[in-house]
Amino acid sequence: MMSGSVATPRHHLMSPSPRCVASLPPTPTTNAAAATGSAKKTQPTASQVRRLCKQGPLDRARRLLLESLPRPPPTLLCNVLLIAYVARALPDDALRLYALLNHAARPAPRSDHYTYSSVLTACARTRRLRLGRAVHAHLLRRGGGVDVVRRLFDAMPKRNAVSWNTLFGWYVKTGRPREALELFARMLEDGVRPTPVSFVNVFPAAANDDPRWPFVLYGLLVKHGTEYVNDLFVVSSAISMFSELGDVQSAWRVFEHTAKKNTEVWNTMITGYVQNGKFIEAIDLFIQMLRSKKVPLDVVTFLSALTAASQSQDGRLGQQLHGYLIKGLRGTLPVILGNALVVMYSRCGNVQTAFELFDRLPEKDIVSWNTMITAFVQNEFDLEGLLLVYQMQKSGFAADSVTLTAVLSAASNTGDLQIGPSDW
DNA sequence: TTAGGGTTAG
């Protein structure tokens, strides 16, 4: 239903309880036998684990690794599997494995800076830190604290640019730009050379602080040479940074000086214009992108262009974009673009078309429903909006805070304070 | 072996 859902648990080892260890496939090494030291089991080799990680599900590699418990598997093998989990976007599984190993292995497996790096990444990738509870507990034993990621970082025996990047990237993601900037500065003081990723990660922090920061950081980037300046991830990140600062001229200069641009770079610049209310420039750039035929347009390109049409209430442009989408996509309209089209028609005052489009959407998500409900209410079709709330619930979508906002708005428009679903 | 940019409702 919602896109971008986090990885679902692949197995039932939620916490490293003895029951979980017992649920591992039977092996000659039972816990009791191993505890008395009678178990003799050869360790899997690195190439074995690596091969299993490359092909198919990771369960087999995992089983192989856990077979010798409670003897700790070699650090290298743990790292290979942890990294594989992270690479396959299964950070929860990485955290669970780490927790299990630290709980069930005697002595606890040795962790090196690769281990910490991957666990750090897994923590950063998942907001569900509850699943990292065991990691947390493990760290708390080393001295109380609240910030799991920071404690992991401090516990790292060796720090390289990757660990620094991950750490201050985490601070940016969790809304602490000041600390991110300080850590970036500390990395430099420690004599660690930043990588292009360092700049990608630190730029967003600079946009939210002293307005001189972006220029200081960009200057520093330039000193690192053309390889850094021409990195397309860096270019996008720099354009975003200057745009967020409201400095579209600087953003444009970065864009302009980039010889080989990809779709994302174009999109970032168009979005930068839109976010700064420069709709004409945004549309001009979109048309330029279309005509140049140098890079393909993608969903995000159209989202940005549609947002420009919506916000500038340019219905004619919006319709053109719609036509172009129908031709270009041959029937398969991604729900996110369908939603953006509904917004566009509604903002341009064409609620009728917006509803027809909504009604025909092959797939509707919670945003589609909320968009259409809001569209009705904003265009003074309060009753239609409220009726759609009931429809939405009948279709199996629960009303949320966005729905509530629309309903409250409709209530204040009509002066009827009794309306709304009965369970509110 | 690891880290990275642009994304629709309010």
Side-chain angles (χ1 to χ4, degrees), chain A residues 387-398:
Chain A
L387 286 171
L388 206 59
V389 176
Y390 293 108
Q391 285 283 322
M392 171 186 181
Q393 293 180 318
K394 269 208 294 200
S395 306
F397 287 93

Side-chain angles (χ1 to χ4, degrees), chain A residues 16 187 202:
Chain A
M187 174 177 83
V202 79

Side-chain angles (χ1 to χ4, degrees), chain A residues 78-264:
Chain A
C78 301
N79 293 347
V80 169
L81 187 53
L82 285 171
I83 289 164
Y85 275 133
V86 173
R88 295 213 194 165
L90 298 169
D92 291 338
D93 297 71
L95 289 177
R96 258 178 247 132
L97 175 69
Y98 180 76
L100 176 65
L101 285 171
N102 275 287
H103 192 271
R106 290 287 172 274
R110 197 177 53 80
S111 294
D112 65 8
H113 68 288
Y114 284 113
T115 324
Y116 284 115
S117 257
S118 50
V119 176
L120 203 56
T121 305
C123 282
R125 288 270 174 82
T126 173
R127 296 301 186 97
R128 297 157 66 192
L129 282 175
R130 257 177 327 123
L131 288 166
R133 203 171 46 220
V135 182
H136 198 173
H138 173 68
L139 288 162
L140 284 177
R141 259 178 267 127
R142 297 188 181 190
V146 282
D147 200 323
V148 182
V149 175
R150 183 52 181 267
R151 298 217 68 81
L152 267 169
F153 180 78
D154 291 338
M156 287 175 72
K158 232 165 99 185
R159 293 161 200 171
N160 57 13
V162 174
S163 30
W164 280 103
N165 293 349
T166 312
L167 183 69
F168 58 76
W170 164 250
Y171 276 94
V172 171
K173 274 187 203 132
T174 51
R176 292 173 286 181
R178 260 250 90 98
E179 281 144 300
L181 287 165
E182 277 164 20
L183 285 164
F184 177 77
R186 255 189 55 201
M187 174 177 83
L188 301 183
E189 280 165 20
D190 276 18
V192 175
R193 182 180 160 84
T195 67
V197 178
S198 310
F199 291 96
V200 171
N201 281 352
V202 79
F203 279 166
N208 294 311
D209 210 84
D210 188 318
R212 283 170 299 186
W213 265 115
F215 297 97
V216 172
L217 292 180
Y218 197 80
L220 191 65
L221 172 83
V222 172
K223 281 192 196 144
H224 280 81
T226 53
E227 198 196 316
Y228 281 59
V229 174
N230 291 322
D231 182 300
L232 292 181
F233 280 86
V234 171
V235 169
S236 273
S237 190
I239 293 171
S240 299
M241 171 175 70
F242 288 121
S243 302
E244 234 168 88
L245 203 69
D247 185 354
V248 277
Q249 278 90 4
S250 297
W252 174 255
R253 237 170 295 157
V254 174
F255 178 82
E256 204 183 19
H257 286 128
T258 307
K260 293 189 84 160
K261 299 184 259 280
N262 63 5
T263 302
E264 285 82 353

